[in-house]
Amino acid sequence: MAKRNVRLHLVRSLLAAIGIVIGVLAITAMGMMGAALQQAVTSDLSAGADSLMIYPKIAAGDGGGITERQLRDIKMAAGPNQVVPIMSGTDRIAVGSETGYAQIYGLDPGDLDAVTEVETGVAFRGSAGALVGPTLAREYDMRVGSRLTLGKEGEERTVRVVGILKESGFSGTMMTDNAVLVPERWYTAAYGDDGYDMVQVAVSDLGEIDRVKERVEDRMNRREETVTIWDSRAFLEMVQEALGSISLFVMAIGGISLVVAAVSIFNVMLMSVNERIKEIGILRSLGAQKHEITLLFLYEAVILGLIGAGAGALLSLGGGYLLILLMVQDTAYFFTAQTLLYVPFGMGVGVVICLLSGVYPALRAAALNPVDALSAE
């Protein structure tokens, strides 16, 4: 009987279901995009999640970095894990007639493989040559063999680009995409030696990162706080939390259309009750119980929900795929369980919304007096 009643008012039922279609499409597609974006960012950042970054605790008026003695202490505390001391600063760069500013990193050539990869060209050796990040290379049209000038006018130093780095994204440690990497000896000759600005500890076993952090903390900050230790996992968790909040907010905006759809379903069900008062009276006079009348109208609401949610879920597969392609530019994350889980979730929300919208009209229909219902016009 519920299916028959939906068929008899097919146009009105379909118009009501369209609201559910739009709502399910909105929250499902947005949820899928958020999940894919979260996975993509997590994948990019997780490469640096096995590192500890150690910075000097700089007091007021003290511009010193981490000393050689402190570096030896860090290496002893880190055990077999690779320790990479890094010098860094910002300086003016010039390529031909173009000028600007960039981050400059100085490090030992033997530590290069622990922090980045060379995509084009070769790694620097000794005290000659420079590596540039891919973003910086594109901005200044630099290639292997290009001449790069560092320093302000009158203090310029020219270095040859020997390689272009592989894109690393925003890793939370060294930001190499828009930077220049030079050998440590070249850096100290150009900018002086005030100690290391940061030290990266690459922990080989991710499960040991807390223990290594505790050992470094205990050795370096036992008497007074001399260094600040930053766990890259904390940054990863912070980014994940932020992306999760953004995804939830976007889904909530899409959920507004479901609220509108719920009002539409509610209105359709009330109209159906008012139009079928006499039918309800006949059913009650033939022995139909109140709970059976209630179920009849709830079944109609569920049918509308299943139609709308099913159509919305199918459309969301296409919409979600396009959103992920545009926003993430990698559809591999579309096919993961974390992303596709939003399809049944969206369908479930759509059906539940319809069911809740039909509760009051169903109870109202069941509460009608059979005698009054039979005499209704």
Side-chain angles (χ1 to χ4, degrees):
M1 291 182 68
K3 288 190 290 185
R4 183 208 64 180
N5 290 330
V6 170
R7 275 200 314 270
L8 288 176
H9 305 92
L10 186 60
V11 174
R12 187 171 67 189
S13 299
L14 290 178
L15 289 174
I18 285 175
I20 297 296
V21 172
I22 296 172
V24 170
L25 171 62
I27 65 169
T28 303
M30 292 297 181
M32 293 172 76
M33 184 198 70
L37 184 61
Q38 194 167 0
Q39 291 174 81
V41 173
T42 300
S43 177
D44 289 341
L45 295 181
S46 60
D50 59 349
S51 299
L52 295 175
M53 297 302 295
I54 304 170
Y55 301 93
K57 188 73 175 181
I58 301 175
D62 182 11
I66 295 175
T67 64
E68 289 290 344
R69 181 177 177 180
Q70 289 176 318
L71 179 62
R72 286 195 298 270
D73 289 337
I74 292 171
K75 287 182 177 180
M76 290 180 66
N81 300 294
Q82 187 172 5
V83 177
V84 182
I86 303 165
M87 297 176 174
S88 70
T90 304
D91 200 2
R92 179 178 178 273
I93 67 169
V95 182
S97 60
E98 293 187 67
T99 61
Y101 287 85
Q103 186 76 26
I104 315 296
Y105 291 111
L107 67 160
D108 189 279
D111 294 328
L112 193 62
D113 61 337
V115 296
T116 189
E117 295 180 49
V118 178
E119 186 170 48
T120 307
V122 297
F124 51 61
R125 293 187 176 89
S127 60
L131 300 171
V132 296
T135 304
L136 197 68
R138 286 193 296 268
E139 184 178 353
Y140 291 91
D141 194 25
M142 284 187 281
R143 299 176 177 82
V144 175
S146 298
R147 290 287 174 178
L148 173 65
T149 302
L150 301 173
K152 59 185 179 180
E153 293 183 14
E155 300 178 8
E156 299 101 329
R157 285 175 175 266
T158 302
V159 63
R160 190 172 70 90
V161 176
V162 296
I164 309 296
L165 298 175
K166 185 177 181 180
E167 192 162 359
S168 62
F170 189 66
S171 63
T173 53
M174 283 181 63
M175 310 305 169
T176 58
D177 287 352
N178 200 37
V180 178
L181 274 65
V182 295
E184 183 180 320
R185 286 163 57 188
W186 193 98
Y187 188 97
T188 55
Y191 303 107
D193 187 357
D194 292 325
Y196 298 102
D197 297 281
M198 65 182 81
V199 174
Q200 178 174 326
V201 181
V203 183
S204 55
D205 183 0
L206 193 58
E208 292 289 316
I209 194 167
D210 289 325
R211 189 175 302 175
V212 174
K213 183 178 180 181
E214 288 176 8
R215 289 203 301 261
V216 175
E217 185 84 42
D218 184 61
R219 190 172 188 90
M220 302 302 297
N221 296 332
R222 180 184 297 175
R223 295 181 181 177
E224 61 175 325
E225 193 172 357
T226 59
V227 297
T228 300
I229 304 171
W230 188 74
D231 185 348
S232 54
R233 291 178 308 170
F235 176 77
L236 178 60
E237 291 170 2
M238 181 181 67
V239 171
Q240 287 177 327
E241 185 177 345
L243 287 174
S245 299
I246 293 171
S247 178
L248 187 63
F249 176 73
V250 172
M251 287 178 62
I253 294 175
I256 294 174
S257 57
L258 272 180
V259 175
V260 176
V263 174
S264 176
I265 297 292
F266 181 81
N267 183 54
V268 166
M269 297 304 296
L270 276 181
M271 290 176 62
S272 182
V273 171
N274 292 332
E275 290 174 355
R276 292 155 57 193
I277 290 178
K278 198 160 190 175
E279 177 187 331
I280 294 169
I282 293 172
L283 290 173
R284 290 297 308 279
S285 67
L286 292 175
Q289 301 298 312
K290 285 186 177 182
H291 73 275
E292 292 174 324
I293 300 297
T294 301
L295 287 176
L296 172 63
F297 284 90
L298 288 179
Y299 286 152
E300 291 183 27
V302 170
I303 289 171
L304 291 177
L306 289 173
I307 293 172
L314 290 175
L315 290 173
S316 68
L317 290 173
Y321 185 89
L322 289 175
L323 275 176
I324 292 170
L325 182 62
L326 291 173
M327 298 296 295
V328 185
Q329 297 180 346
D330 187 353
T331 56
Y333 297 106
F334 173 80
F335 300 98
T336 62
Q338 188 177 341
T339 301
L340 294 176
L341 185 64
Y342 280 92
V343 177
F345 170 77
M347 288 184 64
V349 170
V351 173
V352 169
I353 288 291
C354 281
L355 183 60
L356 293 176
S357 300
V359 169
Y360 174 75
L363 293 176
R364 182 181 174 188
L368 288 174
N369 185 288
V371 176
D372 294 338
L374 281 169
S375 60
E377 291 295 333

